[in-house]
Amino acid sequence: MTGPVTADPAADTAVDAAAHVTVTAPSGAARALRRWRVPGVIALAVLAVVVLGALLTPTARDDLDPESPAPDGARAVARILAANGVRVDVARRSADLAPGTGVTVFVSDPQLVPDDVLRELAASDADLVLLGPNAIALQLLDLPVFPDGRISARSVPPDCTDPEAGAAGTVRGGGWLYRPDEPAAGDEPAALPRLCYPERDGAGNGMLAVLDRDDRRLTVLGQADVLRNEFLALDGNAALALRVLGGNPVLQWYIPDPAELSPEAAPTLRELAPRWVLWMPAVAGLSVLMVILWRGRRLGRLVGEPLPVVVRAAETQEGRARLYRQAHARDRAAAILRTAALRRLARRFEASASTPELLAARVAEATGRPVPAVEATLLGTAPRDDAALVRLAREIDAIEQDVTGTPAHPPAPEDPWTSSDPSTSPATPTIPGDGR
Amino acid sequence: MAITGRSALLMLLGALPVALAPGWGTLLGWALLVVIAVGTDIGLAGRLDALVVTREPIPSVRLGEPTASAVMVTNTGRRAVRGVVRDAWQPSAGAVQSRHHLVVPAGERRRVVTGLRPLRRGDRLATGLAVRSVGPLGLAARQRMIAVPGRLRVLPPFTSRKHLPSKLARLRELDGRTALRVRGQGTEFDSLRDYVVGDDVRAIDWRATARRQQVVVRTWRPERDRRVLIVLDTSRTSAARIGDEPRLDAAMDAALLLAALAARAGDRVDLLAVDRRVRARVEGASRTELLPAMVDAMAPLDADLVEADWTTIVAAVRSRLSQRALVVLLTSLDAAAIEEGLLPVLGQLTSHHLVLLASVSDPALAAMAAGREDVYQVYAAASATRTLMERDGLTAELRRLGVEVVTGEPEHLPPRLADRYLALKAAGRL
């Protein structure tokens, strides 16, 4: 063969067929991905909503936390105190405490405070407000009051001589009640606490116990509801809370950390477990070893499979297509496509493809297209860029389709009864624009 | 030897004594106990050197058809052998269930049958029978591979045999058996019979008519006892995969259909499979033996990655043919291979014989040539179109040299080749 489609020897030998191993790619992963796409998206959406919701909702904190806006939190009272010039410091660990003169330390749960911290607090100069301490805490703090049972919450009048309680008036009482400890011999009467909000008139106990000692005020509060957001606006709760907590410019709100209660290391699992348990991994390990030997033993040798060499038939053509692409061989590609189309059209019109101008004229006549347009498509110059090449290929197809009424491909099947087909004689048209 | 899951379980049971009396002594003592139990069990297992294994021969099978392989296991020992056996076939033999539970009492024998469904053409091999004889406690087993080689010949599937009835019907039309008689160059005189309306007046035998009262016509039948030599190219171009199978397999299919048809037409068919040397041959087979001999010769053939040596091939063909014959070259219209290899020596064949070149074409190439989606596809189309044009040019060149050319996709080539053979026969060109 000669003309524009003469084999480029470099292109042909370079892409000679190479041995190719058959690869079966059922792409099960891709199918599984497709199947789980919709449920996966739904699950992701639900997860996103949950995470966002958790991030956007106010963090629920502990009971009586001065930063908690929950009904059982105490942010309201803390805010009011701050608004009235009291600095509220939240201490979540004992190390954060700095008791001293001019400081009120509020302990939200004295039972959780380590003993030495309680003793430190007792020895300090700070005013103390203890919420519902038990007998042990009271003893450590050396307070002459004693728990006197717990009753349900109710509104109670002060019924005492304490000026602050008197000013607050009726508050939410109940909760833990306290009574004076039996005074030891020689104690001064001034050491006795003032008890307010008793269980009933003349009961001798009270929800609030206040003791003044050495210029300090030690307060025991038995009803936490007084400080809670939920009840702060009721009765005289707010007044009492502010008076109890706001006596000093600085309020240290101490929320004890239960973790501090046990400073010594917990016993390890090894110390807790019975001795025989430690031997079980050894037994299990030996068993696993035997399972490996059991499952790992193959029943007889494998039989080798001699695989035949199989080359994909179109591999050479694919390789040459890649070479064309890398070299941007638009001129060559266009020339090939034009030559092939001209040959098919020549066969169709029973004309010679060696006179392409005449053929183009006949094509133009048959399709009703202008002659220059047909000539530009079939005989024109090489396309300038890849897009032009694609357009050219489609335009050639369109012309052929107009001529034949059917797509140009595939070629017509052979007639088995004709021994030879004279119309397939090699035609070598000269294509303008193909210099090589 | 091999151990079973039961021995691992026995080891795990050691947790109990170790829990009751923790310590190294208990642990190692139990492990020793397990080892002794396993050793005892192996000692008590049926002996494998007492087994005599024989394999029954398997008849050849067409690709795609199921078959079975049977081995006879005879126990000549004093203890029963019970356990598992595996018939070790190549993976492509397609053993359905290769493992079998087996109990052979002392002095008895058992037959183990493994179902096979071969996946590839050719000789599929078995190396032996792996036997695992489990002891009476079921803790451990003796194991051995007993060599009993086996071979299963998987024949080409001959899928195109579905075309045979229609081609034979057409052959009968050519033959003198129906009312329509075809007279042509190369047909042979058959008999004389009375003229009936519709007969060609040119067929009237005036001499015979003169002797008798009625008008007599001659009848003709196609030529018979011609030689057909099918040359199967097993070189690198036949290794190309078209669809799911190599080009060689499609060529074999076409060769089988042609051979079946030609044998029924009364021609003598020979087969030659060649690349650089003769790989297989079928010569002088009788009409009934031809197809079995051909499939048997083709079965173990695989394409080799060598270039076909057409000088050798042509010499081999010429040495086998004394009279004029139809030489069918089942090869590929690969421009480089044909132009450089076949064309220079083709004259030696065409001068004496009628040469028919049949090539399996690749439908993927036509699909490639029609791609217009993007620039990559257009480059691919240009590349494929160039190959197709080269092929067209080559076809034209071959026809100019007097060679018949038939091309077709794998499923179309066999009937097309048969049609072309019938057309040549009808034209009396054989």
Side-chain angles (χ1 to χ4, degrees):
Chain A
M1 290 182 26
T2 56
V5 290
T6 304
D8 177 0
D12 267 350
T13 49
V15 292
D16 204 358
H20 192 85
V21 179
T22 314
V23 179
T24 51
S27 75
R31 220 177 306 126
L33 197 71
R34 232 181 353 264
R35 189 184 309 158
W36 290 103
R37 193 161 54 187
V38 171
V41 165
I42 291 172
L44 276 179
V46 168
L47 194 71
V49 165
V50 167
V51 168
L52 272 179
L55 287 177
L56 290 180
T57 45
T59 40
R61 301 208 184 204
D62 291 335
D63 187 23
L64 286 177
D65 193 304
E67 287 160 4
S68 165
D72 62 354
R75 193 161 77 168
V77 68
R79 287 277 175 89
I80 296 169
L81 284 169
N84 285 288
V86 177
R87 209 179 84 209
V88 182
D89 297 340
V90 183
R92 299 191 185 275
R93 302 188 61 81
S94 58
D96 298 340
L97 285 174
T101 318
V103 173
T104 304
V105 178
F106 169 73
V107 184
S108 68
D109 200 346
Q111 280 75 253
L112 294 179
V113 181
D115 291 355
D116 49 342
V117 177
L118 270 186
R119 279 195 205 96
E120 269 178 40
L121 284 175
S124 72
D125 295 332
D127 289 352
L128 296 182
V129 180
L130 306 162
L131 188 66
N134 62 6
I136 299 168
L138 288 168
Q139 198 176 357
L140 280 168
L141 286 164
D142 194 22
L143 284 174
V145 288
F146 204 76
D148 194 27
R150 187 186 168 87
I151 58 167
S152 55
R154 66 192 69 167
S155 288
V156 201
D159 195 19
C160 68
T161 57
D162 186 79
E164 294 174 355
T170 303
V171 301
R172 191 169 170 82
W176 287 105
L177 294 175
Y178 294 92
R179 61 179 164 75
D181 207 358
E182 296 304 317
D187 267 357
E188 292 171 34
L192 279 175
R194 297 190 296 277
L195 289 165
C196 301
Y197 306 108
E199 183 181 358
R200 57 182 182 277
D201 280 356
N205 55 13
M207 185 268 285
L208 180 73
V210 184
L211 185 73
D212 290 319
R213 175 195 285 172
D214 310 334
D215 300 329
R216 299 171 67 195
R217 168 162 292 191
L218 307 174
T219 312
V220 173
L221 184 63
Q223 177 55 278
D225 283 352
V226 173
L227 307 177
R228 289 195 166 114
N229 295 339
E230 189 179 359
F231 302 102
L232 197 67
L234 301 176
D235 296 337
N237 287 352
L240 181 67
L242 293 179
R243 281 168 188 278
V244 166
L245 298 175
N248 283 309
V250 177
L251 170 65
Q252 290 200 338
W253 194 297
Y254 178 37
I255 303 168
D257 186 357
E260 286 186 44
L261 275 178
S262 52
E264 67 272 15
T268 61
L269 200 61
R270 199 183 169 81
E271 290 166 345
L272 288 172
R275 202 165 84 83
W276 60 266
V277 170
L278 303 177
W279 289 92
M280 290 303 111
V283 177
L286 285 176
S287 300
V288 167
L289 189 73
M290 295 190 72
V291 167
I292 290 169
L293 289 176
W294 163 42
R295 300 306 304 177
R297 182 80 164 103
R298 181 183 293 143
L299 185 53
R301 287 187 303 274
L302 293 179
V303 188
E305 173 83 51
L307 287 169
V309 180
V310 177
V311 187
R312 244 171 344 127
E315 200 156 73
T316 316
Q317 284 73 37
E318 284 165 12
R320 188 164 54 198
R322 281 192 290 273
L323 283 182
Y324 281 171
R325 204 165 69 217
Q326 274 169 22
H328 300 291
R330 287 182 289 272
D331 46 354
R332 183 166 292 269
I336 290 169
L337 292 174
R338 282 169 167 160
T339 308
L342 281 173
R343 287 188 186 179
R344 281 191 294 261
L345 291 168
R347 210 176 307 169
R348 176 84 187 169
F349 289 111
E350 292 172 354
S352 170
S354 54
T355 51
E357 287 83 6
L358 292 178
L359 185 60
R362 290 191 62 181
V363 169
E365 190 187 345
T367 56
R369 292 162 187 257
V371 175
V374 173
E375 280 193 348
T377 303
L378 293 178
L379 314 168
T381 50
R384 267 192 304 279
D385 53 13
D386 284 351
L389 177 63
V390 176
R391 277 199 304 277
L392 175 68
R394 291 180 180 161
E395 188 62 28
I396 291 172
D397 275 5
I399 288 179
E400 280 194 75
Q401 211 160 336
D402 280 359
V403 169
T404 60
T406 49
H409 314 275
E414 291 179 62
D415 180 5
W417 289 92
T418 55
S419 55
S420 69
D421 186 0
S423 64
T424 52
S425 56
T428 52
T430 338
I431 307 292
D434 186 68
R436 290 158 301 150
Chain B
M1 64 156 279
I3 61 168
T4 67
R6 210 180 277 192
S7 55
L9 209 62
L10 184 69
M11 187 65 230
L12 198 62
L13 270 182
L16 213 64
V18 171
L20 292 176
W24 284 109
T26 321
L27 182 69
L28 294 180
W30 186 266
L32 192 67
L33 196 78
V34 172
V35 166
I36 289 171
V38 164
T40 311
D41 210 33
I42 288 176
L44 292 176
R47 296 173 63 84
L48 294 178
D49 46 13
L51 289 184
V52 178
V53 182
T54 53
R55 188 184 292 277
E56 298 173 10
I58 318 170
S60 298
V61 65
R62 279 215 182 101
L63 181 64
E65 288 174 1
T67 183
S69 162
V71 285
M72 192 66 83
V73 183
T74 311
N75 185 359
T76 62
R78 281 179 291 118
R79 277 197 297 268
V81 170
R82 60 187 186 85
V84 187
V85 296
R86 178 174 78 91
D87 202 356
W89 281 94
Q90 285 175 348
S92 60
V96 179
Q97 170 74 44
S98 61
R99 288 184 176 224
H100 309 273
H101 282 280
L102 182 71
V103 180
V104 189
E108 295 189 20
R109 60 181 187 168
R110 292 285 182 272
R111 195 159 173 264
V112 179
V113 180
T114 304
L116 299 175
R117 186 178 278 277
L119 307 172
R120 285 200 295 119
R121 181 176 52 76
D123 282 346
R124 307 273 68 89
L125 302 177
T127 53
L129 188 74
V131 188
R132 183 177 281 182
S133 167
V134 182
L137 299 176
L139 290 174
R142 298 166 190 261
Q143 183 176 321
R144 182 182 293 177
M145 186 83 162
I146 300 172
V148 266
R151 194 192 70 161
L152 168 64
R153 173 149 287 189
V154 185
L155 306 175
F158 193 12
T159 48
S160 65
R161 67 178 178 275
K162 60 175 182 276
H163 297 296
L164 194 54
S166 68
K167 303 304 171 202
L168 285 176
R170 208 175 233 172
L171 182 67
R172 276 195 296 276
E173 284 171 21
L174 300 180
D175 215 346
R177 279 176 233 163
T178 58
L180 177 73
R181 311 218 165 175
V182 181
R183 184 192 169 186
Q185 186 191 5
T187 50
E188 294 170 353
F189 173 71
D190 187 18
S191 59
L192 294 169
R193 64 163 170 78
D194 291 345
Y195 175 85
V196 292
V197 177
D199 277 344
D200 188 347
V201 290
R202 287 174 297 178
I204 295 171
D205 186 330
W206 297 109
R207 195 188 297 253
T209 307
R211 278 200 298 271
R212 299 187 54 183
Q213 301 300 313
Q214 291 92 2
V215 179
V216 173
V217 293
R218 290 181 193 173
T219 61
W220 307 88
R221 65 172 191 186
E223 55 198 354
R224 296 174 71 85
D225 291 319
R226 303 289 152 171
R227 289 203 64 173
V228 177
L229 178 60
I230 301 172
V231 179
L232 197 59
D233 175 12
T234 58
S235 71
R236 65 168 181 87
T237 53
S238 294
R241 193 180 70 213
I242 293 173
D244 267 346
E245 57 176 16
R247 186 173 266 146
L248 182 63
D249 285 26
M252 283 180 180
D253 213 33
L256 286 173
L257 184 68
L258 176 62
L261 188 63
R264 293 288 288 272
D267 290 334
R268 285 170 50 209
V269 182
D270 293 334
L271 171 79
L272 212 53
V274 283
D275 40 58
R276 296 199 76 79
R277 59 189 172 84
V278 176
R279 298 273 303 276
R281 70 181 76 166
V282 175
E283 283 168 335
S286 73
R287 200 163 297 175
T288 48
E289 288 169 353
L290 176 67
L291 272 193
M294 276 183 73
V295 291
D296 203 47
M298 285 174 177
L301 284 181
D302 270 323
D304 234 340
L305 283 190
V306 295
E307 193 70 43
D309 180 1
W310 286 102
T311 311
T312 310
I313 294 171
V314 168
V317 167
R318 291 191 64 185
S319 70
R320 277 168 176 78
L321 297 173
S322 49
Q323 65 188 82
R324 181 178 157 85
L326 172 66
V327 178
V328 180
L329 302 176
L330 280 161
T331 178
S332 157
L333 271 181
D334 184 274
I338 296 291
E339 274 171 11
E340 286 163 27
L342 179 59
L343 285 185
V345 291
L346 193 60
Q348 300 176 27
L349 278 185
T350 50
S351 59
H352 295 97
H353 308 292
L354 175 61
V355 179
L356 169 55
L357 191 146
S359 165
V360 187
S361 59
D362 188 0
L365 211 55
M368 235 172 115
R372 295 289 187 271
E373 281 292 308
D374 50 27
V375 70
Y376 303 120
Q377 285 199 5
V378 171
Y379 278 127
S383 169
T385 303
R386 184 175 136 180
T387 302
L388 290 175
M389 278 200 293
E390 283 171 1
R391 214 159 270 183
D392 282 351
L394 193 59
T395 305
E397 173 74 9
L398 286 168
R399 281 180 178 151
R400 198 180 57 74
L401 293 170
V403 176
E404 298 286 322
V405 179
V406 181
T407 58
E409 292 164 11
E411 66 270 29
H412 296 136
L413 182 67
R416 274 189 198 166
L417 182 59
D419 285 339
R420 183 61 63 89
Y421 166 78
L422 289 173
L424 290 172
K425 201 165 185 58
R429 292 185 58 195
L430 292 187

